[in-house]
Amino acid sequence: MTQLNLVDSFKEFKEFKNIDHDVMMGILEDVFRAMILKKYGDDSNFDIIINPDKGDLEIWRNRAIVADDAVEDENQEISISEALGIEDDFEVGEEVSEEIKLESFGRRNVLSLRQNLAGRIMELEKDSIYQKYKERVGEIISAEVYQIWKREILLVDDEDNEVVMPRESQIPGDFFKKGDTVRAVVSAVEMKNNNPRIVLSRTAPEFLERLFEQEVPEIFDGLITIKRVVRSPGERAKVAVESYDDRVDPVGACVGMKGSRIHSIVRELKNENIDVINFTENEQLLVTRALSPAKITSMELNTETREAKVYLKPDQVSLAIGKGGNNIKLAGLLTNYEIDVYREDEDAVDDVELKEFSDEIDAWILEEFVKVGLETARSVLNLDEDFLVKRTDLELETIREVLKILKDELS
C-alpha cells in the first residue's frame, strides 16, 4: 500500500462523513505519531506534513550530526559519515532532516494504522451524530423508510444517518413501506452500546406543536403562542393557543380560511380531530372551552383538589365524554382538573340514588361509583362500560352486573 493510496482512502472517508478539517488533521497526526512512537520510542524529533485534500503525506526525522564514535541515540543523532552520504557538505553540529517512507514501517504497522484511524474517525462520527441530534430534540425531520421490523421502523436521514421510530411512537393509522418519506419529531437521543440511537415520534405532543409552527406564520413569528397540547394520537387532540396581539384571533389564525391551515395538519396526523381553543387564565372558562363541543350548564371547581363537577343537559353528556372517553380525558389533561360530568335530568323523578340499591349491590361497589361523582342510577347508565372501567376500580363483569340491575329498575 503506497502513501498516496493510504491518505487518499482517508480523504474519501473524510469527505463522505463530513468531518471538520482541523479535527481530521489532528486525528491523522495522532495516529501517525502513535506509529512512530511504537517503532522509534520517541516522536519529538519528527515532523509530519499532511495534506489530506491532495493525498500528500510526508514524515521527516530530524537528527543532530555528531562524530562517528559519538552516536549514543540513533533516533536523535546521526554520524558525520552517514550524514555525508545524504549531502556532502554537512558538518558536525548541524541538523539533518531525512524523509521516512511509510513503507519502512512495514505492512503490518500500516494496516494497524489504518484500522486505528478508521476507529478514531468512526468514534468521532458517532459523537458528531449524537451531538447534532441532541440539539435537535423537539424538531421535525424527514427521513426515508429503510427497513420495517415488528417493533420499530429503521429510517435514514438525508445524510444517511440511521434513526428509528418505535411502533408505539407511530399513529395508529400510519402505514409505511420501504422508500416512503416520513415526517416526525426527534423525541430522544441516547448512546446505546456506544452507538447513538435517535428516536423519532409521530405521537408526541411536540410533533403537533411543530406542525402548527410550520403551518401558521403567526405562531412562527411569535404573535401567537401555543400554551398546551394534549393528544390521543390518531383520535383527538386539543391545542390551547394565546395571542399577544388583540387584533389577531388565535383560533381563527390556526384554523385558517375554510380550515386551510389545519386541514394539512389533520391529514398528516391521519385525520386526528383537533380542537383549537383560546387559552385563558380563568380556569372555569378554560374547562368550559376544553370540553367543547359540549355545552356546559353549570360547574363547580375545587382549586385545591383540582376537581371539577360539570353539569350538562342530557343531550350534551355524550359530547362531553366523547368517543371512548377521549374528550373528557383530554380536557382533564389540558386543564389539569379531574373532571366529572353530571346530567341535569329534567325528569328528576325518573332517577334513583345509588344508595337505594344497597340491598342488591354491595356497598363497596356503590362507593366506587360515588367516589367518581356518580351518585344516581341515571348518571351511571349515561356512561359506557369502557369509560366506567377506566374511572373506577371495578372489573368489567361487575360493571355489567350493576348496569343490568339499574336498567331493570328504571325500565
Side-chain angles (χ1 to χ4, degrees), residues 1-12 55 114:
M1 181 180 294
T2 66
Q3 292 181 185
L4 183 60
N5 289 338
L6 178 67
V7 179
D8 271 350
S9 65
F10 293 137
K11 174 190 171 187
E12 292 169 2
R114 184 186 179 105

Side-chain angles (χ1 to χ4, degrees), residues 171-173 208 211-212 229-240 255 262-277 290 292-293 319 321-324 326-328 330-331 334:
I171 298 171
L208 177 54
L211 289 174
F212 266 101
V229 178
V230 292
R231 293 179 66 192
S232 178
E235 294 290 338
R236 197 179 196 97
K238 290 184 181 291
V239 182
V255 174
I262 204 168
H263 281 168
S264 60
I265 300 175
V266 170
R267 284 194 299 271
E268 179 69 43
L269 301 182
K270 306 302 178 185
N271 294 321
E272 186 173 308
N273 290 320
I274 303 174
D275 297 330
V276 182
I277 66 172
S292 174
L319 289 175
I321 295 170
K323 182 181 177 181
N326 267 335
N327 197 57
I328 192 171
L330 293 177
L334 190 77

Side-chain angles (χ1 to χ4, degrees), residues 64-245:
I65 301 174
V66 298
D68 289 342
D69 57 351
V71 177
E72 297 180 357
D73 184 346
E74 291 187 354
N75 182 43
Q76 297 283 346
E77 299 169 336
I78 184 173
S79 67
I80 182 62
S81 298
E82 190 177 350
L84 291 173
I86 299 172
E87 284 188 23
D88 57 9
D89 59 349
F90 277 129
E91 295 179 2
V92 172
E94 292 183 338
E95 188 177 76
V96 59
S97 295
E98 180 184 8
E99 184 176 3
I100 306 296
K101 297 296 183 181
L102 193 61
E103 290 84 349
S104 68
F105 289 92
R107 180 178 177 81
R108 181 175 295 181
N109 282 333
V110 173
L111 288 174
S112 176
L113 176 146
R114 184 186 179 105
Q115 292 171 355
N116 184 16
L117 181 56
R120 289 283 300 276
I121 293 176
M122 191 62 69
E123 288 301 315
L124 184 67
E125 180 64 18
K126 289 177 182 179
D127 183 65
S128 175
I129 294 171
Y130 176 82
Q131 294 300 333
K132 169 188 172 183
Y133 274 101
K134 195 70 175 176
E135 295 174 359
R136 298 190 66 184
V137 170
E139 290 184 18
I140 287 180
I141 69 165
S142 294
E144 182 179 311
V145 176
Y146 182 74
Q147 196 166 357
I148 300 174
W149 297 318
K150 184 177 180 180
R151 295 185 177 180
E152 62 185 19
I153 293 177
L154 177 67
L155 309 97
V156 291
D157 66 8
D158 54 5
E159 295 181 355
D160 286 330
N161 298 314
E162 294 183 351
V163 297
V164 297
M165 183 160 58
R167 181 67 61 185
E168 62 271 18
S169 295
Q170 300 169 38
I171 298 171
D174 281 340
F175 177 78
F176 303 117
K177 59 183 183 296
K178 186 173 181 179
D180 285 351
T181 299
V182 178
R183 285 203 297 171
V185 72
V186 180
S187 62
V189 180
E190 58 191 11
M191 291 298 289
K192 190 173 183 180
N193 298 326
N194 205 32
N195 288 304
R197 177 178 165 85
I198 297 97
V199 182
L200 305 184
S201 174
R202 287 171 53 81
T203 60
E206 292 80 9
F207 183 48
L208 177 54
E209 189 171 343
R210 296 293 94 78
L211 289 174
F212 266 101
E213 290 176 359
Q214 291 181 358
E215 294 294 332
V216 184
E218 290 86 350
I219 293 178
F220 183 82
D221 293 338
L223 293 175
I224 296 174
T225 184
I226 297 176
K227 302 294 288 186
R228 296 171 193 170
V229 178
V230 292
R231 293 179 66 192
S232 178
E235 294 290 338
R236 197 179 196 97
K238 290 184 181 291
V239 182
V241 294
E242 185 178 36
S243 174
Y244 291 118
D245 188 333

Side-chain angles (χ1 to χ4, degrees), residues 216-321:
V216 184
E218 290 86 350
I219 293 178
F220 183 82
D221 293 338
L223 293 175
I224 296 174
T225 184
I226 297 176
K227 302 294 288 186
R228 296 171 193 170
V229 178
V230 292
R231 293 179 66 192
S232 178
E235 294 290 338
R236 197 179 196 97
K238 290 184 181 291
V239 182
V241 294
E242 185 178 36
S243 174
Y244 291 118
D245 188 333
D246 293 338
R247 296 169 298 177
V248 177
D249 171 21
V251 176
C254 291
V255 174
M257 185 72 69
K258 297 183 179 179
S260 58
R261 290 176 174 176
I262 204 168
H263 281 168
S264 60
I265 300 175
V266 170
R267 284 194 299 271
E268 179 69 43
L269 301 182
K270 306 302 178 185
N271 294 321
E272 186 173 308
N273 290 320
I274 303 174
D275 297 330
V276 182
I277 66 172
N278 201 343
F279 179 79
T280 175
E281 295 293 345
N282 183 325
E283 293 189 328
Q284 183 164 335
L285 181 55
L286 184 63
V287 172
T288 300
R289 292 173 177 174
L291 282 171
S292 174
K295 305 296 182 183
I296 295 173
T297 303
S298 60
M299 183 190 313
E300 296 175 10
L301 288 186
N302 188 323
T303 56
E304 292 183 1
T305 62
R306 306 300 295 179
E307 294 178 343
K309 293 183 178 180
V310 177
Y311 300 90
L312 311 97
K313 292 182 178 180
D315 61 343
Q316 296 296 307
V317 173
S318 60
L319 289 175
I321 295 170

